[in-house]
Coordinates of all heavy atoms in Angstrom, one line a residue:
M20 N -1.6 -58.9 33.5 CA -0.1 -58.7 33.4 C 0.6 -60.1 33.7 O 1.7 -60.3 33.3 CB 0.3 -57.6 34.4 CG 1.7 -57.2 34.3 SD 2.0 -55.7 35.2 CE 3.8 -55.7 35.2
K21 N -0.1 -60.9 34.4 CA 0.5 -62.2 34.8 C 0.9 -63.0 33.5 O 2.0 -63.5 33.5 CB -0.5 -63.0 35.6 CG -0.1 -64.5 35.8 CD -1.3 -65.2 36.5 CE -1.0 -66.7 36.5 NZ -2.2 -67.4 37.1
E22 N 0.0 -63.1 32.5 CA 0.3 -63.9 31.3 C 1.5 -63.2 30.6 O 2.4 -64.0 30.1 CB -0.9 -63.9 30.4 CG -2.0 -64.7 31.0 CD -2.9 -64.0 31.9 OE1 -2.8 -62.7 32.0 OE2 -3.7 -64.6 32.7
Y23 N 1.5 -61.9 30.5 CA 2.6 -61.2 29.8 C 4.0 -61.4 30.6 O 5.0 -61.6 30.0 CB 2.4 -59.8 29.7 CG 1.2 -59.5 28.8 CD1 0.4 -58.3 29.0 CD2 0.8 -60.3 27.7 CE1 -0.7 -58.1 28.2 CE2 -0.3 -60.1 26.9 CZ -1.0 -58.9 27.1 OH -2.1 -58.7 26.3
A24 N 3.9 -61.4 31.9 CA 5.1 -61.6 32.7 C 5.7 -63.0 32.5 O 6.9 -63.2 32.3 CB 4.8 -61.4 34.2
I25 N 4.8 -64.0 32.5 CA 5.2 -65.4 32.2 C 5.8 -65.5 30.8 O 6.9 -66.1 30.6 CB 4.1 -66.4 32.5 CG1 3.7 -66.4 34.0 CG2 4.4 -67.8 32.0 CD1 2.5 -67.2 34.3
D26 N 5.2 -64.9 29.8 CA 5.7 -65.0 28.5 C 7.0 -64.3 28.4 O 8.0 -64.8 27.8 CB 4.7 -64.3 27.5 CG 5.2 -64.4 26.1 OD1 5.2 -65.5 25.5 OD2 5.5 -63.3 25.5
Y27 N 7.2 -63.1 29.0 CA 8.5 -62.4 29.0 C 9.5 -63.3 29.7 O 10.7 -63.4 29.2 CB 8.3 -61.1 29.8 CG 9.5 -60.2 29.6 CD1 9.6 -59.2 28.6 CD2 10.5 -60.2 30.5 CE1 10.7 -58.4 28.5 CE2 11.6 -59.4 30.4 CZ 11.7 -58.5 29.4 OH 12.8 -57.7 29.2
Y28 N 9.2 -63.9 30.8 CA 10.2 -64.7 31.5 C 10.6 -65.9 30.6 O 11.8 -66.1 30.4 CB 9.5 -65.3 32.8 CG 10.2 -66.5 33.3 CD1 11.4 -66.4 34.0 CD2 9.7 -67.8 33.1 CE1 12.1 -67.6 34.4 CE2 10.3 -68.9 33.6 CZ 11.5 -68.8 34.3 OH 12.2 -69.9 34.7
N29 N 9.7 -66.5 29.9 CA 10.0 -67.6 29.0 C 10.9 -67.2 27.8 O 11.8 -67.9 27.4 CB 8.7 -68.3 28.5 CG 8.1 -69.2 29.6 OD1 8.8 -69.8 30.4 ND2 6.8 -69.2 29.7
K30 N 10.6 -66.0 27.3 CA 11.4 -65.5 26.2 C 12.7 -65.0 26.5 O 13.7 -65.2 25.8 CB 10.6 -64.4 25.5 CG 9.4 -64.9 24.6 CD 8.8 -63.7 23.9 CE 7.6 -64.1 23.1 NZ 6.9 -63.0 22.5
Y31 N 12.8 -64.2 27.6 CA 14.0 -63.4 27.9 C 14.8 -63.7 29.1 O 15.9 -63.4 29.3 CB 13.7 -61.9 27.9 CG 12.9 -61.5 26.7 CD1 11.6 -61.2 26.8 CD2 13.5 -61.4 25.4 CE1 10.8 -60.7 25.7 CE2 12.8 -61.0 24.3 CZ 11.5 -60.7 24.4 OH 10.8 -60.3 23.3
M32 N 14.2 -64.4 30.1 CA 14.8 -64.5 31.4 C 15.1 -65.9 31.9 O 16.0 -66.1 32.8 CB 13.9 -63.8 32.5 CG 13.6 -62.4 32.3 SD 12.5 -61.7 33.5 CE 13.5 -60.4 34.2
N33 N 14.5 -66.9 31.3 CA 14.7 -68.2 31.9 C 16.1 -68.8 31.7 O 16.4 -69.8 32.3 CB 13.6 -69.2 31.5 CG 13.7 -69.6 30.1 OD1 14.5 -69.1 29.3 ND2 12.8 -70.5 29.7
S34 N 16.9 -68.2 30.9 CA 18.3 -68.7 30.7 C 19.2 -68.2 31.8 O 20.3 -68.7 32.0 CB 18.8 -68.4 29.4 OG 18.9 -67.0 29.3
V35 N 18.7 -67.3 32.6 CA 19.5 -66.7 33.7 C 19.1 -67.5 35.0 O 18.0 -67.8 35.2 CB 19.1 -65.2 33.9 CG1 19.9 -64.6 35.1 CG2 19.4 -64.4 32.7
S36 N 20.1 -67.8 35.8 CA 19.9 -68.6 37.0 C 19.6 -67.7 38.1 O 20.4 -66.9 38.6 CB 21.2 -69.5 37.3 OG 20.9 -70.2 38.4
A37 N 18.4 -67.8 38.6 CA 17.9 -67.0 39.8 C 16.7 -67.7 40.4 O 16.1 -68.6 39.8 CB 17.6 -65.6 39.4
N38 N 16.4 -67.3 41.6 CA 15.2 -67.9 42.3 C 14.0 -67.1 42.1 O 12.9 -67.6 42.3 CB 15.5 -68.0 43.8 CG 16.6 -68.9 44.2 OD1 16.8 -69.9 43.5 ND2 17.3 -68.6 45.2
S39 N 14.1 -65.9 41.6 CA 13.0 -65.0 41.3 C 13.3 -64.1 40.2 O 14.5 -63.7 40.0 CB 12.5 -64.3 42.6 OG 13.5 -63.3 43.0
Y40 N 12.3 -63.7 39.5 CA 12.4 -62.8 38.4 C 11.4 -61.7 38.5 O 10.2 -62.0 38.6 CB 12.2 -63.6 37.0 CG 13.3 -64.7 36.9 CD1 13.0 -65.9 37.4 CD2 14.4 -64.5 36.2 CE1 14.0 -66.9 37.3 CE2 15.4 -65.5 36.0 CZ 15.1 -66.7 36.6 OH 16.0 -67.7 36.5
V41 N 11.8 -60.5 38.3 CA 10.8 -59.3 38.4 C 10.6 -58.8 37.0 O 11.6 -58.5 36.3 CB 11.4 -58.2 39.3 CG1 10.4 -57.1 39.3 CG2 11.6 -58.7 40.7
V42 N 9.4 -58.8 36.6 CA 9.0 -58.3 35.2 C 8.2 -57.0 35.5 O 7.1 -57.1 36.1 CB 8.2 -59.3 34.4 CG1 7.8 -58.7 33.1 CG2 9.0 -60.6 34.3
T43 N 8.7 -55.9 35.1 CA 8.0 -54.6 35.2 C 7.2 -54.3 34.0 O 7.4 -54.8 32.9 CB 8.9 -53.5 35.5 OG1 9.8 -53.3 34.4 CG2 9.8 -53.7 36.8
L44 N 6.2 -53.4 34.2 CA 5.5 -52.8 33.1 C 6.4 -52.2 32.1 O 6.3 -52.3 30.9 CB 4.4 -51.9 33.6 CG 3.5 -51.2 32.5 CD1 2.8 -52.3 31.7 CD2 2.5 -50.4 33.2
E45 N 7.4 -51.5 32.6 CA 8.4 -50.9 31.7 C 9.2 -51.9 30.8 O 9.4 -51.6 29.6 CB 9.4 -50.1 32.5 CG 10.4 -49.3 31.7 CD 11.4 -48.5 32.5 OE1 11.5 -48.6 33.8 OE2 12.0 -47.6 31.9
L46 N 9.5 -53.0 31.4 CA 10.1 -54.1 30.5 C 9.2 -54.6 29.4 O 9.7 -54.8 28.3 CB 10.6 -55.3 31.4 CG 11.8 -55.1 32.3 CD1 12.0 -56.3 33.2 CD2 13.0 -54.8 31.5
L47 N 7.9 -54.7 29.8 CA 7.0 -55.2 28.7 C 6.8 -54.1 27.6 O 6.8 -54.4 26.5 CB 5.6 -55.4 29.4 CG 5.6 -56.6 30.4 CD1 4.2 -56.7 31.0 CD2 6.0 -57.9 29.8
E48 N 6.8 -52.8 28.0 CA 6.7 -51.8 27.0 C 8.0 -51.7 26.2 O 7.9 -51.5 24.9 CB 6.6 -50.4 27.7 CG 5.2 -50.2 28.3 CD 5.0 -48.9 29.1 OE1 6.1 -48.2 29.4 OE2 3.9 -48.5 29.4
R49 N 9.2 -51.9 26.7 CA 10.4 -52.0 25.9 C 10.4 -53.1 24.9 O 10.8 -52.9 23.8 CB 11.6 -52.1 26.9 CG 12.1 -50.8 27.4 CD 13.5 -51.0 28.0 NE 13.5 -50.3 29.3 CZ 14.4 -50.6 30.3 NH1 15.3 -51.6 30.1 NH2 14.4 -49.9 31.3
A50 N 9.9 -54.3 25.4 CA 9.8 -55.4 24.4 C 8.9 -55.1 23.3 O 9.2 -55.4 22.1 CB 9.3 -56.6 25.2
N51 N 7.8 -54.4 23.5 CA 6.9 -53.9 22.5 C 7.6 -53.0 21.5 O 7.5 -53.1 20.3 CB 5.6 -53.3 23.0 CG 4.6 -54.3 23.5 OD1 4.7 -55.5 23.2 ND2 3.5 -53.8 24.1
N52 N 8.3 -52.0 22.1 CA 8.9 -50.9 21.3 C 10.0 -51.5 20.5 O 10.3 -50.9 19.4 CB 9.4 -49.8 22.2 CG 8.3 -49.0 22.9 OD1 7.2 -49.0 22.4 ND2 8.6 -48.4 24.0
Q53 N 10.7 -52.5 20.9 CA 11.8 -53.1 20.1 C 11.3 -54.1 19.1 O 12.0 -54.6 18.3 CB 12.8 -53.8 21.1 CG 13.5 -52.9 22.0 CD 14.4 -53.6 23.0 OE1 14.3 -54.8 23.1 NE2 15.1 -52.8 23.8
G54 N 10.0 -54.3 19.1 CA 9.4 -55.2 18.1 C 9.5 -56.6 18.4 O 9.2 -57.5 17.6
N55 N 10.0 -56.9 19.6 CA 10.1 -58.3 20.0 C 8.8 -59.0 20.5 O 8.7 -60.2 20.5 CB 11.2 -58.5 21.1 CG 12.5 -58.0 20.6 OD1 12.9 -58.1 19.4 ND2 13.3 -57.5 21.5
S56 N 7.9 -58.2 20.9 CA 6.6 -58.7 21.4 C 5.5 -57.8 21.0 O 5.7 -56.7 20.5 CB 6.7 -58.8 23.0 OG 7.7 -59.7 23.3
N57 N 4.3 -58.3 21.2 CA 3.1 -57.5 20.9 C 2.1 -57.6 22.1 O 1.0 -58.1 21.9 CB 2.5 -57.9 19.6 CG 1.4 -57.0 19.1 OD1 1.4 -55.8 19.4 ND2 0.5 -57.5 18.4
Y58 N 2.5 -57.2 23.2 CA 1.7 -57.2 24.4 C 0.6 -56.1 24.4 O 0.9 -55.0 24.1 CB 2.5 -57.1 25.7 CG 3.6 -58.1 25.9 CD1 4.9 -57.7 26.0 CD2 3.3 -59.5 25.9 CE1 5.9 -58.7 26.2 CE2 4.2 -60.4 26.1 CZ 5.6 -60.0 26.2 OH 6.5 -61.0 26.4
D59 N -0.6 -56.4 24.6 CA -1.7 -55.4 24.7 C -1.7 -54.9 26.1 O -2.2 -55.4 27.0 CB -3.0 -56.1 24.4 CG -4.2 -55.1 24.5 OD1 -3.9 -53.9 24.6 OD2 -5.3 -55.5 24.4
L60 N -1.1 -53.7 26.3 CA -0.9 -53.1 27.6 C -1.9 -52.0 27.8 O -1.8 -51.3 28.8 CB 0.5 -52.5 27.7 CG 1.6 -53.5 27.5 CD1 3.0 -52.8 27.6 CD2 1.5 -54.7 28.5
S61 N -3.0 -51.9 27.0 CA -4.0 -50.9 27.1 C -4.7 -50.9 28.5 O -5.0 -49.9 29.0 CB -5.0 -50.9 26.0 OG -5.7 -52.2 26.0
K62 N -4.9 -52.1 29.0 CA -5.6 -52.2 30.3 C -4.7 -51.8 31.5 O -5.2 -51.6 32.6 CB -6.1 -53.6 30.5 CG -7.1 -54.1 29.6 CD -7.6 -55.5 29.8 CE -8.6 -55.9 28.8 NZ -9.0 -57.3 29.0
L63 N -3.4 -51.6 31.2 CA -2.5 -51.3 32.2 C -2.0 -49.8 32.1 O -1.0 -49.4 32.8 CB -1.3 -52.2 32.2 CG -1.6 -53.7 32.4 CD1 -0.4 -54.6 32.0 CD2 -2.1 -54.0 33.8
E64 N -2.5 -49.0 31.2 CA -2.0 -47.7 31.0 C -2.2 -46.8 32.2 O -1.5 -45.8 32.3 CB -2.7 -47.1 29.8 CG -4.1 -46.9 29.8 CD -4.7 -46.5 28.5 OE1 -4.1 -46.8 27.4 OE2 -5.8 -45.8 28.5
N65 N -3.0 -47.1 33.2 CA -3.2 -46.2 34.4 C -2.3 -46.7 35.5 O -2.4 -46.2 36.6 CB -4.6 -46.2 34.8 CG -5.5 -45.5 33.8 OD1 -5.1 -44.5 33.3 ND2 -6.7 -46.0 33.6
Y66 N -1.4 -47.6 35.2 CA -0.5 -48.1 36.3 C 0.9 -47.5 36.1 O 1.4 -47.3 34.9 CB -0.4 -49.7 36.2 CG -1.6 -50.3 36.8 CD1 -2.7 -50.5 35.9 CD2 -1.8 -50.6 38.1 CE1 -3.9 -51.1 36.4 CE2 -2.9 -51.1 38.6 CZ -4.0 -51.4 37.8 OH -5.2 -51.9 38.3
D67 N 1.6 -47.4 37.2 CA 3.0 -46.9 37.2 C 3.9 -47.8 36.4 O 3.7 -49.1 36.5 CB 3.5 -46.7 38.6 CG 4.8 -46.1 38.7 OD1 5.8 -46.9 38.7 OD2 4.9 -44.9 38.8
K68 N 4.9 -47.3 35.7 CA 5.8 -48.2 34.9 C 6.6 -49.1 35.8 O 7.2 -50.1 35.3 CB 6.7 -47.3 34.1 CG 5.9 -46.4 33.2 CD 6.5 -46.3 31.8 CE 5.8 -45.3 30.9 NZ 4.5 -45.7 30.5
N69 N 6.7 -48.8 37.1 CA 7.4 -49.7 38.0 C 6.6 -50.8 38.6 O 7.0 -51.6 39.4 CB 8.1 -48.9 39.1 CG 9.2 -48.0 38.6 OD1 10.0 -48.4 37.8 ND2 9.2 -46.8 39.1
S70 N 5.3 -50.8 38.2 CA 4.4 -51.9 38.6 C 5.1 -53.2 38.1 O 5.7 -53.3 37.0 CB 3.0 -51.8 38.0 OG 2.4 -50.7 38.5
S71 N 5.0 -54.3 38.9 CA 5.7 -55.5 38.5 C 5.0 -56.8 39.0 O 4.1 -56.8 39.8 CB 7.1 -55.5 39.2 OG 7.0 -55.5 40.6
V72 N 5.4 -57.8 38.4 CA 5.1 -59.2 38.8 C 6.4 -59.9 39.1 O 7.3 -59.9 38.3 CB 4.3 -59.9 37.6 CG1 4.0 -61.4 38.0 CG2 3.0 -59.2 37.3
T73 N 6.4 -60.5 40.2 CA 7.6 -61.3 40.6 C 7.3 -62.8 40.4 O 6.3 -63.3 41.0 CB 8.1 -61.0 42.0 OG1 8.4 -59.6 42.1 CG2 9.3 -61.8 42.4
L74 N 8.1 -63.5 39.7 CA 7.9 -64.9 39.5 C 8.9 -65.6 40.3 O 10.1 -65.4 40.2 CB 8.1 -65.3 38.0 CG 7.2 -64.5 37.0 CD1 7.6 -64.8 35.6 CD2 5.7 -64.8 37.2
I75 N 8.4 -66.5 41.2 CA 9.3 -67.3 42.0 C 9.4 -68.7 41.4 O 8.4 -69.3 41.0 CB 8.7 -67.5 43.5 CG1 8.3 -66.1 44.1 CG2 9.7 -68.3 44.4 CD1 9.4 -65.1 44.2
V76 N 10.6 -69.2 41.2 CA 10.8 -70.4 40.5 C 11.6 -71.4 41.3 O 12.4 -71.0 42.2 CB 11.5 -70.2 39.1 CG1 10.7 -69.3 38.2 CG2 12.9 -69.6 39.3
D77 N 11.5 -72.7 41.0 CA 12.2 -73.7 41.7 C 13.5 -74.0 40.9 O 13.8 -73.4 39.9 CB 11.4 -74.9 42.0 CG 10.9 -75.6 40.8 OD1 11.4 -75.4 39.7 OD2 9.9 -76.4 40.9
E78 N 14.2 -75.1 41.4 CA 15.5 -75.4 40.7 C 15.3 -75.9 39.3 O 16.1 -75.8 38.4 CB 16.2 -76.5 41.5 CG 16.8 -76.0 42.8 CD 17.5 -77.0 43.6 OE1 17.8 -78.1 43.1 OE2 17.8 -76.8 44.8
A79 N 14.1 -76.4 39.0 CA 13.8 -76.9 37.6 C 13.2 -75.8 36.8 O 12.8 -76.0 35.6 CB 12.8 -78.0 37.7
K80 N 13.3 -74.5 37.3 CA 12.8 -73.3 36.6 C 11.3 -73.3 36.4 O 10.8 -72.7 35.5 CB 13.5 -73.1 35.3 CG 15.0 -72.8 35.5 CD 15.6 -72.3 34.3 CE 17.1 -72.0 34.7 NZ 17.7 -71.0 33.8
K81 N 10.6 -74.1 37.2 CA 9.1 -74.1 37.2 C 8.6 -73.0 38.1 O 9.1 -72.8 39.2 CB 8.6 -75.5 37.7 CG 7.1 -75.5 37.6 CD 6.6 -76.9 38.1 CE 5.1 -76.9 38.2 NZ 4.6 -78.1 38.8
I82 N 7.6 -72.2 37.6 CA 7.1 -71.1 38.4 C 6.3 -71.7 39.6 O 5.3 -72.5 39.3 CB 6.2 -70.2 37.6 CG1 7.1 -69.6 36.5 CG2 5.6 -69.1 38.4 CD1 6.3 -68.8 35.4
T83 N 6.6 -71.4 40.8 CA 6.0 -71.9 42.0 C 5.1 -70.9 42.7 O 4.2 -71.2 43.4 CB 7.0 -72.5 43.0 OG1 7.9 -71.4 43.4 CG2 7.7 -73.6 42.4
D84 N 5.3 -69.6 42.4 CA 4.5 -68.5 43.1 C 4.6 -67.3 42.2 O 5.6 -67.1 41.5 CB 5.1 -68.3 44.5 CG 4.1 -67.4 45.3 OD1 2.9 -67.3 45.0 OD2 4.6 -66.9 46.3
I85 N 3.6 -66.5 42.3 CA 3.5 -65.2 41.6 C 3.1 -64.1 42.6 O 2.1 -64.3 43.3 CB 2.6 -65.3 40.4 CG1 3.0 -66.3 39.4 CG2 2.4 -63.9 39.7 CD1 2.0 -66.6 38.3
R86 N 3.9 -63.0 42.6 CA 3.6 -61.9 43.5 C 3.4 -60.7 42.7 O 4.2 -60.4 41.8 CB 4.7 -61.8 44.5 CG 4.9 -63.0 45.4 CD 6.0 -62.9 46.4 NE 6.2 -64.2 47.0 CZ 7.3 -64.6 47.6 NH1 8.3 -63.8 47.7 NH2 7.3 -65.7 48.2
Y87 N 2.4 -59.9 43.1 CA 2.1 -58.7 42.3 C 2.4 -57.4 43.1 O 2.2 -57.4 44.4 CB 0.6 -58.6 42.0 CG 0.1 -59.8 41.2 CD1 -0.3 -61.0 41.8 CD2 0.1 -59.8 39.8 CE1 -0.8 -62.1 41.1 CE2 -0.3 -60.8 39.1 CZ -0.7 -62.0 39.7 OH -1.1 -63.1 39.0
D88 N 2.9 -56.4 42.5 CA 3.2 -55.1 43.0 C 2.7 -54.1 42.0 O 3.5 -53.5 41.3 CB 4.7 -54.9 43.4 CG 4.9 -53.6 44.1 OD1 4.0 -53.0 44.6 OD2 6.1 -53.2 44.1
L89 N 1.4 -53.9 42.0 CA 0.8 -53.0 41.0 C 0.5 -51.7 41.6 O -0.1 -51.6 42.7 CB -0.5 -53.6 40.4 CG -0.3 -55.0 39.8 CD1 -1.7 -55.5 39.3 CD2 0.6 -54.9 38.6
K90 N 1.0 -50.6 41.0 CA 0.9 -49.3 41.5 C 0.0 -48.4 40.6 O 0.5 -48.1 39.5 CB 2.3 -48.6 41.7 CG 3.2 -49.4 42.6 CD 4.6 -48.9 42.6 CE 5.4 -49.7 43.5 NZ 6.6 -50.2 42.9
Y91 N -1.1 -48.1 41.0 CA -2.1 -47.3 40.2 C -1.7 -45.8 40.3 O -1.4 -45.3 41.4 CB -3.5 -47.5 40.8 CG -4.6 -47.0 39.8 CD1 -4.9 -47.8 38.7 CD2 -5.3 -45.8 40.1 CE1 -5.9 -47.3 37.8 CE2 -6.3 -45.4 39.2 CZ -6.6 -46.1 38.1 OH -7.5 -45.7 37.3
T92 N -1.6 -45.2 39.1 CA -1.3 -43.7 39.1 C -2.5 -42.8 39.2 O -3.5 -43.2 38.9 CB -0.4 -43.4 37.9 OG1 -1.2 -43.7 36.7 CG2 0.9 -44.1 37.9

């Protein structure tokens, strides 16, 4: 999920000014459903849709830390 979260951040979120960005499994699924992405989420199908990866970024928008909140159903 880390790679997909980073890709999602780069495609959709990095133009927003914030110190952290939360990418949920639900957001990744929506991107797939809208045809904007083709994430292989099959390995994550047993996780709650609210499972997330939080990307912490610095002022230059470089990712400095990654935090996981994965909820197995």
Side-chain angles (χ1 to χ4, degrees):
M20 189 165 170
K21 172 186 168 182
E22 293 82 13
Y23 295 150
I25 292 171
D26 182 70
Y27 189 92
Y28 161 74
N29 286 324
K30 284 182 178 176
Y31 307 109
M32 300 176 123
N33 72 353
S34 63
V35 178
S36 181
N38 295 328
S39 65
Y40 300 86
V41 178
V42 179
T43 64
L44 182 54
E45 183 176 15
L46 286 175
L47 297 176
E48 287 178 346
R49 276 194 222 160
N51 277 353
N52 291 338
Q53 293 175 353
N55 298 328
S56 297
N57 190 26
Y58 302 122
D59 178 8
L60 303 177
S61 61
K62 294 180 182 177
L63 301 169
E64 61 189 28
N65 291 323
Y66 287 89
D67 185 272
K68 304 224 185 285
N69 292 317
S70 293
S71 64
V72 174
T73 301
L74 306 172
I75 309 300
V76 298
D77 61 15
E78 291 179 13
K80 296 194 179 202
K81 180 181 175 187
I82 298 169
T83 58
D84 193 18
I85 299 173
R86 299 178 186 160
Y87 300 90
D88 184 18
L89 302 177
K90 300 169 182 131
Y91 195 75
T92 56

